Amino acid sequence: MSIEEHKYIKLLSYAIIQRSSYHMEPGLQLANMTEAEFENIRDSLFINANMQVPPPGKNQVYNWRLRPEAVFGYLTYKQYEHAQKSSKRALYIAAASLGVAVLTLVISGLGLWL
């Protein structure tokens, strides 16, 4: 399983796309997460400006916001993901450059012998 498929990453991606108050239920369905799993991570990732006792469940609409730590952690993950893609692209460019250099050397070598 890749990190993009992790439940927490999917839930954070959903939450970042949202602009204001929203149901958690669609995000949990997208992430394939149970309410119990959500309750375990809720306080570490989310804050609720209108917190009431008891804390709201997944299907209640409240002013959910991501904690700054969750946002910065998600941004760090996205930066890491981008760095991996960039390094793969650099590897392919370097391999292509090496192939062209070898081909040029072979053609130059044949030119000397002919």
Side-chain angles (χ1 to χ4, degrees):
M1 176 168 114
S2 69
I3 194 162
E4 296 93 22
E5 298 171 2
H6 194 278
K7 294 177 183 184
Y8 297 174
I9 297 295
K10 287 182 178 180
L11 183 62
L12 284 171
S13 296
Y14 171 80
I16 285 180
I17 290 171
Q18 305 306 307
R19 296 279 182 221
S20 60
S21 298
Y22 55 93
H23 282 320
M24 267 296 170
E25 193 165 11
L28 297 182
Q29 288 175 353
L30 177 74
N32 195 25
M33 186 180 288
T34 65
E35 188 170 359
E37 289 173 315
F38 170 67
E39 288 175 2
N40 285 334
I41 65 163
R42 178 186 59 212
D43 295 332
S44 63
L45 297 179
F46 299 97
I47 53 176
N48 187 336
N50 303 322
M51 189 55 77
Q52 300 172 0
V53 179
K58 67 175 182 173
N59 59 354
Q60 296 171 315
V61 178
Y62 288 98
N63 193 13
W64 286 108
R65 297 181 194 254
L66 284 169
R67 289 187 175 278
E69 301 86 12
V71 173
F72 290 125
Y74 182 77
L75 292 176
T76 301
Y77 156 72
K78 293 305 273 184
Q79 189 176 27
Y80 172 73
E81 181 181 56
H82 178 70
Q84 282 185 320
K85 288 178 184 176
S86 295
S87 68
K88 283 182 185 177
R89 189 177 319 127
L91 175 67
Y92 297 143
I93 291 171
S97 298
L98 185 61
V100 168
V102 167
L103 185 62
T104 302
L105 185 62
V106 168
I107 291 173
S108 297
L110 287 177
L112 290 174
W113 292 100
L114 296 176

